[in-house]
């Protein structure tokens, strides 16, 4: 039985998925398996993965499903994973050569049931730390405290105990494709801290078609998922008033996008939601304006390309 599962949700990323595969072939420790959850790809992903499975250089598990979005692919992965630890590596990212060795050595030295897992650093292809490194004195932290108390910036790589990530599955809202992944992590924050590994293990490349690059469209197209996410963050027992106010403003804007007239009644903090309405309304109009302009510019570019 392997100790670590590297899992990769993917959707039409055959053009870049090979980078992740090549990095897994180069790992100095082979105590892992690679789970690929194909979230409804229509490109050559399946054939590509099949050719890698025939090479038999990395243990690869390939699962296909209808397109459900990133959170739906995570749900599927967590149902399947049977190793002690797991880490998500996105389809446009790849691991450093010693990543698996660093994770498992650190876990063997310091891990156990007293912690939820490990947080480590991401770097750019040029080798720069994404955001800021961890304070040298920081040994453990919750994800919430990392950003709100220690004021760390940038995405970090999270490695969790699998028995924990099977908890709190992401809800599916019809045809919507997005629920914030932090929902699960912040729920686990209420029970466990994470070990801090102040080393880079993953190279992150932000693609033009990635969710980070298209967040305003995610807001507009997935209002129910965003409303759920913001309500859950408003419930966090350790969150500051300022943090909850920010979530409430986003909750109002998402509720307006969803045309939900019962959003005050459904709010976990009705007074906070009431005072957030003017700011949520401004955010709502900002999202509508920016996404409408972007769509018009895209259509214009496509017409110019066809006419050229």
């Amino acid at each position: 039985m392997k100790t670590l599962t590297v899992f990769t949700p993917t959707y039409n990323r055959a053009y870049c998925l090979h980078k992740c595969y090549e990095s897994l072939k180069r790992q100095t420790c082979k105590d892992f398996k690679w789970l690929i959850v194909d979230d409804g790809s229509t490109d050559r992903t399946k054939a590509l993965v099949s050719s890698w499975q025939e090479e038999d250089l990395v243990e690869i598990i390939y699962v296909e499903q209808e397109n459900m979005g990133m959170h739906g692919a995570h749900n599927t992965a967590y149902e399947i994973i049977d190793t002690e630890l797991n880490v998500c590596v996105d389809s446009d990212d790849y691991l450093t050569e010693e990543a698996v060795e660093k994770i498992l050595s650190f876990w063997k030295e310091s891990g156990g049931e007293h912690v939820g897992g490990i947080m480590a650093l991401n770097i750019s292809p040029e080798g720069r730390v994404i955001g800021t490194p961890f304070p040298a004195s920081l040994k453990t932290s919750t994800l919430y405290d990392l950003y709100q108390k220690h004021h760390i910036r940038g995405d970090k790589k999270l490695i969790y105990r699998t028995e924990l990530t099977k908890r709190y599955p992401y809800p599916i809202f019809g045809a919507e494709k997005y629920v914030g992944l932090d929902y699960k992590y912040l729920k686990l924050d209420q029970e466990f801290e994470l070990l801090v590994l102040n080393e880079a293990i993953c190279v992150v490349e932000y693609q033009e078609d990635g969710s980070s690059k298209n967040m305003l469209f995610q807001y507009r197209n997935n209002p129910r998922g965003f409303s759920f996410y913001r309500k859950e963050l408003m419930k966090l027992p350790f969150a500051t008033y300022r943090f909850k106010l920010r979530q409430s403003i986003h909750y109002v804007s998402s509720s307006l996008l969803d045309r939900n007239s019962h959003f005050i009644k459904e709010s976990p903090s009705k007074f906070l939601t009431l005072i957030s309405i003017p700011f949520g309304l401004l955010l709502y109009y900002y999202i509508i304006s920016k996404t409408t302009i972007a769509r018009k510019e895209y259509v214009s570019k496509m017409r110019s390309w066809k006419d050229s």
Side-chain angles (χ1 to χ4, degrees):
M1 171 73 74
K2 299 292 178 64
T3 306
L4 175 70
T5 295
V6 177
F7 75 93
T8 301
T10 188
Y11 175 70
N12 288 343
R13 288 292 183 84
Y15 66 91
C16 64
L17 190 59
H18 66 281
K19 293 182 180 180
C20 186
Y21 175 56
E22 294 297 327
S23 77
L24 294 176
K25 289 197 299 183
R26 294 192 298 267
Q27 289 304 303
T28 56
C29 174
K30 305 299 183 182
D31 187 11
F32 71 93
K33 62 179 72 174
W34 189 23
L35 169 61
I36 302 170
V37 180
D38 189 340
D39 192 41
S41 294
T42 56
D43 62 2
R44 60 187 183 92
T45 295
K46 184 175 183 179
L48 190 63
V49 174
S50 179
S51 69
W52 295 338
Q53 288 175 317
E54 289 178 3
E55 291 179 4
D56 198 26
L57 299 175
V58 174
E59 182 179 348
I60 301 174
I61 303 164
Y62 177 71
V63 177
E64 291 180 279
Q65 67 178 33
E66 64 180 47
N67 183 245
M68 300 171 66
M70 182 70 78
H71 67 298
H74 274 241
N75 278 347
T76 299
Y78 294 133
E79 290 176 2
I80 295 170
I81 295 171
D82 60 1
T83 54
E84 181 181 4
L85 301 173
N86 69 77
V87 59
C88 177
V89 177
D90 290 340
S91 52
D92 49 354
D93 301 338
Y94 53 95
L95 293 178
T96 60
E97 292 186 7
E98 297 181 346
V100 173
E101 183 176 352
K102 287 179 178 180
I103 291 168
L104 297 185
S105 295
F106 189 55
W107 184 253
K108 184 177 181 180
E109 175 186 330
S110 305
E113 294 185 356
H114 62 291
V115 290
I118 301 169
M119 58 176 77
L121 298 176
N122 291 325
I123 56 173
S124 70
E126 296 75 31
R128 296 190 300 270
V129 172
I130 302 298
T132 53
F134 304 116
S137 60
L138 191 63
K139 304 303 180 185
T140 63
S141 176
T142 63
L143 195 62
Y144 177 89
D145 281 349
L146 185 73
Y147 293 105
Q148 303 301 320
K149 178 180 177 181
H150 301 292
H151 307 293
I152 299 301
R153 294 181 289 105
D155 292 337
K156 306 306 176 192
K157 187 52 58 185
L158 305 177
I159 304 97
Y160 275 99
R161 286 198 285 130
T162 296
E163 66 172 291
L164 302 182
T165 50
K166 290 182 180 294
R167 304 178 189 176
Y168 313 114
Y170 300 102
I172 305 298
F173 296 101
E176 289 195 12
K177 309 295 183 186
Y178 189 93
V179 171
L181 298 178
D182 282 358
Y183 156 69
K184 182 187 292 283
Y185 311 145
L186 291 171
K187 294 286 282 187
L188 293 175
D189 268 0
Q190 299 178 49
E191 304 174 64
F192 297 97
E193 291 190 333
L194 297 169
L195 296 169
V196 174
L197 176 59
N198 209 359
E199 295 191 48
I201 64 168
C202 189
V203 181
V204 173
E205 294 188 86
Y206 295 107
Q207 302 292 330
E208 289 300 320
D209 61 345
S211 60
S212 298
K213 289 279 189 177
N214 298 284
M215 188 52 68
L216 288 181
F217 283 107
Q218 299 280 20
Y219 265 80
R220 185 163 182 176
N221 296 333
N222 304 281
R224 293 176 64 196
F226 270 93
S227 292
F228 165 82
Y229 175 62
R230 299 300 178 178
K231 283 192 293 184
E232 290 299 315
L233 266 56
M234 288 165 67
K235 295 177 186 177
L236 294 175
F238 46 73
T240 63
Y241 182 84
R242 182 178 179 180
F243 178 87
K244 291 183 178 182
L245 178 61
R246 187 164 65 249
Q247 309 314 315
S248 182
I249 292 170
H250 284 277
Y251 170 63
V252 170
S253 67
S254 294
S255 298
L256 293 173
L257 288 166
D258 190 32
R259 294 184 171 86
N260 178 12
S261 59
H262 304 290
F263 70 93
I264 296 176
K265 180 180 179 182
E266 295 171 1
S267 170
S269 182
K270 295 175 178 54
F271 174 74
L272 203 60
T273 300
L274 277 170
I275 64 174
S276 301
I277 288 176
F279 306 101
L281 191 61
L282 288 173
L283 179 57
Y284 164 79
Y285 281 120
Y286 175 80
I287 294 168
I288 292 294
S289 173
K290 287 292 185 179
T291 52
T292 300
I293 291 171
R295 280 174 176 164
K296 287 181 179 178
E297 290 177 347
Y298 176 78
V299 170
S300 178
K301 285 181 181 179
M302 290 299 100
R303 286 175 178 170
S304 298
W305 178 77
K306 287 180 181 179
D307 292 340
S308 61

